[in-house]
Amino acid sequence: MMATIGDPSRQGAAPAPTLKERVEDFLSYEGELLDERRFDEWLELFAEDARYWMPLARNVEHNNLEEEYSREQQDAAWFDEDKKTLLQRVMQLKGGDHWAEEPFSRTTHITANTRIENAAETELTVKSRFIVYVNRREGEVRLFVGKRIDVLRPVGAGFLIAKRSIFLDQSKLLFKNLTTFF
Amino acid sequence: MDGDTIDGRLVDAGSGLIDRRIFSDKDIFEQEMKQVFGKSWLFVGHESQIPNKGDYFTSQAGRDAVVVTRDSDGEVRVMLNVCTHRGMPVCRYDKGNAKRFTCPYHGWTFSNNGDLSGLPLSTEGYGGQLDRKKWGLIQARVTLYYGSIWATFDETVPPFEDTLGDMAVMLRDFMQGPDGEDDGLEVIDGILKFEIHSNWKFGAENNAGDLYHDVSHNSVQRVGLALSGLRGRHVWNADKHLFKTLNVAYPAGGHAARVNLYDDEQREYHPQWAVIPEVDEYFRAAHYARQERLGEKARLLNRGGIVFPNIAYNSAGRWQITMWVPRAPNRTEVWKWYFVPKNAPQKVKDTLRHYLLRYGGPSGMVEQDDIENWASAQVGAESAAANRLPMNYTLHMGQARWAWPVPWFGEGAYVDEGVSEHAQRIFYAHWAEMMGGPVSGQETGR
């Protein structure tokens, strides 16, 4: 849990966590909040000007890879959100009348291969891989695997997500709905 | 009864009862591939996807994979994406630009107009005798309709405009966009493709005109989606005192639209995008431009509809086409094209894009709940015990009127007012007719 980082009672016993450990801890915590359906707390991890984007992947020629993903702020996408619209989605999820997520699906978010690509004083660029497993009602299973690039802003002992780009390894979505955050 | 005829009891449109087996039976599915999809004009895409010579994209004409090109002479071609030699797809990309397509198996090469232009061992192996005209890619008949591209591989299907009939009023209006100018839309790059474990007809019939399923969309109504600053999901004036809600079906082709017909031809613009003044100003100007251009027909607010069998459009600010690609009785691929008015300022296009992406598809706050419905309905369709009970489509039966309430809906318009399953009954009556079933009852007016 994020709260344990920088916990004064631990400081004598263990060395202070590295930046990478803090980032990994943050991403694990964030996934935990989603899996525990603590959507409001999850949303608080986003900066007010946050952007959340999941482009479409296309099958293109080897020499045309710049068109593999739909373009940000220009083309269609699975998600193209700001914090306000993320809030609308959270409000929709929580009402008990959003039938695509009522009852809630069971989810497990796994984040791996976390690597800090760039660390400036005010912002970090973090690359990672994700596996998101969704089990809906009885037999329905959705497995999402892909890559993320996050821009994080250090705030106190933690971070805020300024931007999340999600690259799902599917061109045709192999499932019926994307009712889960990534 | 021959193999091309369904049991007349499966679809009893006259009494509004439909057997669940039409959603789950494998033989019925194979028969509809042949007799419904094989005998219909099918939407495959939009001209704005291929603005330049050599541009192409791959699409689906029912179960058949096609490649759609603008050939080197500028002509739009729809061709089966199947090598005439061994059947490999000759194009394995979603989109691009190419002068030719080379099959990776034996190297047969086809120009972007389908001609067999390259044939390995042409002389040594075929003695220079292979008739290249005969072995080009298989070409569909193509109709361009205000920017939309339609195709069929059947030579006996009447021309597209004939099968569309008076539904032309609605489809043309949809393609116009908000200011009433023909061919007014362009595709937002990026086609959404996803998969539902559901029969293709559940989504299709819903879009024909199901105004009964408001409960499904409680959550998005509660949260809001429209940028009017108001709750709700739509961007039109929903004051029911000002218009009639109509289910306008066209039985001859099985098509239908759900529309608002406002009483006042000169109705005032009702601000729907007020939180973004620049966008609101565009729609205000477009509203009056459309009235100027269309006159009385501007009373129409075309909300959406279906071009039989598998193409749904949504209009009125939510410009999109949804295509159901049948894969199996219980498995459907869904493709979605989003559109914006092509002459609109970039700010308007951007705003609409955000609205559309949050409206439709697997990540859409509206359509997620529709998709849940269609997949869940399939469970009931496959229930052996429930098979004793037909599906019930009797809502608001027996009240439809022909060519009403305005003559310009066309003589082929068969219209019911309010919340009704009229359009679904027409959809299934036409489906049954194409499947060789007897068509019964007053509902079709026959």
Side-chain angles (χ1 to χ4, degrees):
Chain A
M1 299 279 288
M2 189 169 62
T4 62
I5 290 185
D7 180 347
S9 64
R10 286 182 56 192
Q11 280 181 358
T18 64
L19 182 61
K20 186 181 176 193
E21 287 169 338
R22 287 171 53 210
V23 167
E24 285 174 342
D25 202 61
F26 174 78
L27 295 177
S28 301
Y29 174 64
E30 188 216 331
E32 235 171 78
L33 290 178
L34 288 173
D35 295 340
E36 294 171 9
R37 294 107 177 203
R38 292 155 68 187
F39 300 115
D40 292 318
E41 289 168 77
W42 175 76
L43 201 56
E44 284 171 20
L45 302 182
F46 283 81
E48 288 308 307
D49 60 345
R51 291 207 16 84
Y52 182 97
W53 174 61
M54 183 196 276
L56 308 177
R58 281 89 62 98
N59 300 297
V60 295
E61 284 184 76
H62 69 286
N63 56 3
N64 192 25
L65 287 179
E66 66 273 17
E67 295 214 31
E68 181 173 15
Y69 292 101
S70 57
R71 293 165 296 183
E72 188 173 8
Q73 300 281 40
Q74 196 168 343
D75 296 340
W78 294 120
F79 289 106
D80 192 349
E81 309 289 309
D82 57 24
K83 192 169 183 181
K84 183 168 162 280
T85 62
L86 285 175
L87 173 63
Q88 286 180 321
R89 290 181 183 277
V90 165
M91 287 166 63
Q92 184 180 32
L93 275 171
K94 285 170 48 185
D97 52 359
H98 182 30
W99 308 110
E101 271 298 323
E102 177 59 31
F104 284 130
S105 303
R106 281 162 290 280
T107 69
T108 294
H109 287 71
I110 296 171
T111 307
N113 300 23
T114 305
R115 194 171 69 77
I116 298 170
E117 187 175 65
N118 195 348
E121 201 171 311
T122 53
E123 280 187 348
L124 313 173
T125 303
V126 177
K127 287 186 161 182
S128 61
R129 301 291 185 262
F130 64 83
I131 300 172
V132 177
Y133 173 87
V134 178
N135 170 232
R136 170 136 193 74
R137 297 179 67 194
E138 292 92 18
E140 194 175 337
V141 170
R142 304 174 197 159
L143 183 62
F144 302 105
V145 180
K147 304 144 182 83
R148 285 196 315 209
I149 302 175
D150 290 328
V151 177
L152 304 181
R153 283 189 201 139
V155 176
F159 304 95
L160 285 175
I161 302 166
K163 182 175 177 187
R164 166 156 295 168
S165 306
I166 305 147
F167 301 90
L168 180 67
D169 286 344
Q170 294 175 25
S171 61
K172 179 181 85 174
L173 187 74
L174 298 173
F175 308 102
K176 72 181 201 278
N177 263 340
L178 280 169
T179 47
T180 314
F181 295 113
F182 291 86
Chain B
M1 184 164 85
D2 64 40
D4 296 338
T5 308
I6 56 162
D7 186 333
R9 289 167 297 188
L10 285 172
V11 174
D12 187 356
S15 61
L17 301 177
I18 290 176
D19 194 299
R20 284 161 209 265
R21 279 174 295 173
I22 73 165
F23 303 105
S24 60
D25 185 272
K26 183 102 177 76
D27 293 337
I28 291 174
F29 178 83
E30 290 301 329
Q31 191 181 334
E32 62 187 0
M33 292 307 99
K34 200 168 61 171
Q35 291 173 224
V36 177
F37 283 82
K39 299 284 182 186
S40 294
W41 284 93
L42 302 169
F43 174 87
V44 293
H46 191 266
E47 282 195 74
S48 61
Q49 294 175 263
I50 42 173
N52 305 309
K53 289 175 182 175
D55 286 351
Y56 70 84
F57 59 90
T58 45
S59 186
Q60 290 290 138
R63 262 196 312 196
D64 295 313
V66 296
V67 54
V68 183
T69 69
R70 188 175 293 278
D71 71 19
S72 296
D73 295 325
E75 192 179 335
V76 174
R77 305 268 184 173
V78 180
M79 300 171 290
L80 214 51
N81 191 8
V82 169
C83 181
T84 48
H85 179 234
R86 271 303 170 280
M88 287 267 290
V90 295
C91 178
R92 44 183 54 210
Y93 309 112
D94 296 350
K95 55 181 280 203
N97 183 286
K99 287 195 165 59
R100 61 191 71 86
F101 303 98
T102 297
C103 178
Y105 199 174
H106 304 94
W108 283 32
T109 297
F110 303 89
S111 303
N112 57 19
N113 66 3
D115 288 350
L116 178 59
S117 57
L119 180 66
L121 303 182
S122 169
T123 308
E124 305 92 313
Y126 296 100
Q129 298 297 306
L130 190 99
D131 183 353
R132 296 200 186 201
K133 285 253 176 304
K134 185 175 167 192
W135 294 97
L137 291 178
I138 296 166
Q139 306 264 349
R141 295 163 64 195
V142 177
T143 298
L144 305 178
Y145 191 76
Y146 298 110
S148 56
I149 306 170
W150 303 77
T152 178
F153 288 98
D154 189 280
E155 290 302 321
T156 66
V157 177
F160 175 74
E161 284 83 354
D162 292 359
T163 65
L164 190 61
D166 289 328
M167 179 68 183
V169 175
M170 301 299 172
L171 185 61
R172 181 178 171 183
D173 177 274
F174 160 66
M175 304 302 303
Q176 283 171 344
D179 66 4
E181 187 176 340
D182 276 329
D183 190 7
L185 302 179
E186 66 184 16
V187 172
I188 302 175
D189 194 16
I191 313 301
L192 278 68
K193 302 168 187 175
F194 54 103
E195 191 162 300
I196 308 184
H197 282 258
S198 162
N199 188 270
W200 67 273
K201 293 188 290 299
F202 281 123
E205 65 148 71
N206 175 273
N207 279 269
D210 185 334
L211 298 169
Y212 191 37
H213 73 292
D214 257 7
V215 62
S216 302
H217 298 304
N218 268 355
S219 62
V220 71
Q221 287 297 107
R222 172 171 56 75
V223 171
L225 179 63
L227 297 171
S228 54
L230 307 170
R231 291 194 315 165
R233 65 189 191 273
H234 297 140
V235 287
W236 59 72
N237 187 348
D239 180 349
K240 290 187 175 165
H241 298 99
L242 302 178
F243 60 86
K244 283 182 166 61
T245 303
L246 301 173
N247 305 279
V248 186
Y250 293 94
H255 319 297
R258 49 192 197 282
V259 311
N260 294 354
L261 184 69
Y262 288 85
D263 300 331
D264 183 5
E265 181 180 328
Q266 299 293 322
R267 77 195 143 101
E268 295 279 304
Y269 175 69
H270 183 78
Q272 295 293 316
W273 302 87
V275 291
I276 311 172
E278 189 184 340
V279 175
D280 204 51
E281 196 41 55
Y282 167 78
F283 279 104
R284 176 186 302 277
H287 175 87
Y288 291 112
R290 182 169 178 268
Q291 281 185 349
E292 181 98 346
R293 200 169 260 137
L294 302 187
E296 199 210 331
K297 291 183 182 176
R299 290 171 60 195
L300 175 72
L301 182 122
N302 187 359
R303 292 167 58 172
I306 187 137
V307 180
F308 190 90
N310 68 328
I311 296 303
Y313 70 88
N314 270 274
S315 193
R318 312 157 304 168
W319 291 283
Q320 60 193 278
I321 280 181
T322 309
M323 172 170 88
W324 281 274
V325 181
R327 293 295 188 185
N330 63 353
R331 192 162 69 84
T332 301
E333 206 170 287
V334 189
W335 289 34
K336 192 174 280 287
W337 286 254
Y338 287 123
F339 297 88
V340 289
K342 64 182 173 192
N343 295 327
Q346 193 57 41
K347 177 75 179 169
V348 173
K349 293 181 182 179
D350 290 343
T351 303
L352 280 172
R353 188 182 71 250
H354 281 279
Y355 174 64
L356 287 163
L357 293 179
R358 284 183 293 115
Y359 196 105
S363 46
M365 294 171 67
V366 179
E367 203 167 18
Q368 283 178 347
D369 290 318
D370 291 313
I371 292 168
E372 178 77 9
N373 288 341
W374 304 329
S376 300
Q378 187 69 24
V379 177
E382 292 176 4
S383 159
N387 266 339
R388 275 174 276 159
L389 190 68
M391 297 270 197
N392 184 317
Y393 291 81
T394 61
L395 181 68
H396 210 258
M397 271 189 55
Q399 311 198 35
R401 287 180 259 183
W402 287 94
W404 175 85
V406 287
W408 48 267
F409 280 174
E411 286 183 4
Y414 192 39
V415 185
D416 199 19
E417 185 172 5
V419 178
S420 167
E421 284 164 349
H422 170 67
Q424 286 111 306
R425 289 188 290 269
I426 296 298
F427 176 88
Y428 285 113
H430 190 68
W431 179 88
E433 191 181 352
M434 291 192 84
M435 294 286 280
V439 175
S440 64
Q442 64 189 69
E443 274 297 307
T444 60
R446 289 185 177 85

